[in-house]
Amino acid sequence: MTDTVSDIARRLGREAEAVCHHYLSNGRRQGHYWIVGDARNTPGRSLYVRLSGPAHGPGAAGKWTDAATGEHGDLIDLIAAAQQLRTFRETLDEARRFLSLPRPEPQRRGRQSAPAGSPEAARRLFAMGRPIGGTLAERYLHRRGLARLGDAPVLRFHPRCYYWREGQPKDAPSETWPALLAKVTDGQGNLTGVHRTWLDPATARKAPLDPPRKAMGNLLGHGVRIGTATDLLAAGEGLESTLSVRMALPDLPVIAALSANHLAALILPTGLQRLYIAADADEAGAMAAANLTERADAIGVETIRLSPLGGDFNEDLRNLGRDDLRAHLCQQLATADLSRLLSCDS
């Protein structure tokens, strides 16, 4: 009988410590957790895996969090990252091999496919990506002034990501381009969608497509998260603009809502005390910031608007450089946050 993904996840959860011993051998047990540097088995103490708990739901055995990046997942996600597997099928095959389960009988294509644009389709696509280090996606980000992001687990590269043009007949030939993938998650770290930026391999710029970016899954209220929100969080619009804030202030957790409308509808995390709103310098950004400020005020969260000198913070990063952008941002931070976030010149 074919095992479902949830069946495999539960079986792995029952063997959580054995999974960690095998795939995260550079870590060690500490109490009810396995501690290691990251999901690629780097020595350290940032990532922790729960070794005991219920079979599913909050606190389930096998759930893990990387405190440095904010990435969350289950043991299926961990196996994919640790083994750098490119497809969801490869990941499930590896999990079955570890559990000594037989491979499933071939199924009809219709039973295997996920609904187009669904969170499950987004999960499968992201599982097919690979780390961006040394790829066209890293070259694209470097052109945007964004360096040293090769290990960011919320970003992946897909060398041949399907693209459907608006109005394209269903029976038209498939078209593929390289793409930067960004993982969209909810407040519990569950993948809800994927944002795709298609790239031109000849120039390492955005591909000559209209539009060159699309999202799939459930984005409303969620976003691309780097760092773990505690009492502080910066929320921005575009991916590159928000990454620029994070690059200038690496101790400030950020979330890219991916559009002005989604920024206005962002679901704020529990325990948040101060929210920095890094909206773009246009009418849509101003409206999004005003709406988000009103919602934050209603639940007692202080808001501070971060204003770019140009159109957005990625434009500032490219024009000013990292140090001058940091100095510009530091002038806008709350005094209480200066020592927390970086040594800032007054």
Side-chain angles (χ1 to χ4, degrees), residues 233-237 242 253-257 263 266 268 275-279 292:
L233 177 68
E237 292 184 47
T242 308
V254 300
I255 178 170
L263 178 62
L266 185 66
L268 299 178
L275 175 68
Y276 290 99
I277 303 177
L292 185 55

Side-chain angles (χ1 to χ4, degrees), residues 141-315:
L141 291 170
H142 280 187
R143 292 193 69 97
R144 303 294 296 261
L146 297 162
R148 297 183 294 278
L149 294 172
D151 292 330
V154 297
L155 304 177
R156 288 188 182 176
F157 173 68
H158 195 302
R160 292 176 298 279
C161 187
Y162 286 110
Y163 185 88
W164 285 270
R165 296 180 183 271
E166 300 297 329
Q168 176 177 310
K170 292 184 178 180
D171 58 352
S174 300
E175 182 176 355
T176 62
W177 290 79
L180 169 66
L181 308 180
K183 180 180 181 182
V184 178
T185 60
D186 62 17
Q188 290 71 50
N190 302 306
L191 187 150
T192 65
V194 169
H195 184 262
R196 298 156 291 175
T197 302
W198 282 273
L199 307 174
D200 186 342
T203 64
R205 300 179 186 274
K206 284 181 283 189
L209 302 169
D210 185 19
R213 305 175 187 264
K214 292 183 182 181
M216 61 190 300
N218 181 9
L219 271 66
L220 190 64
H222 311 311
V224 180
R225 304 168 193 266
I226 298 183
T228 302
T230 53
D231 58 328
L232 289 182
L233 177 68
E237 292 184 47
L239 178 64
E240 293 87 351
S241 180
T242 308
L243 287 174
S244 299
V245 173
R246 172 73 176 189
M247 188 170 168
L249 298 171
D251 292 327
L252 178 62
V254 300
I255 178 170
L258 302 175
S259 75
N261 288 337
H262 286 141
L263 178 62
L266 185 66
I267 298 173
L268 299 178
T270 302
L272 186 64
Q273 296 182 17
R274 185 155 42 249
L275 175 68
Y276 290 99
I277 303 177
D280 294 352
D282 55 22
E283 183 177 357
M287 291 181 62
N291 290 334
L292 185 55
T293 296
E294 182 177 353
R295 292 179 49 238
D297 287 345
I299 59 174
V301 175
E302 178 189 1
T303 58
I304 295 177
R305 174 79 185 269
L306 298 178
S307 300
L309 291 172
D312 61 41
F313 292 100
N314 187 246
E315 181 180 330

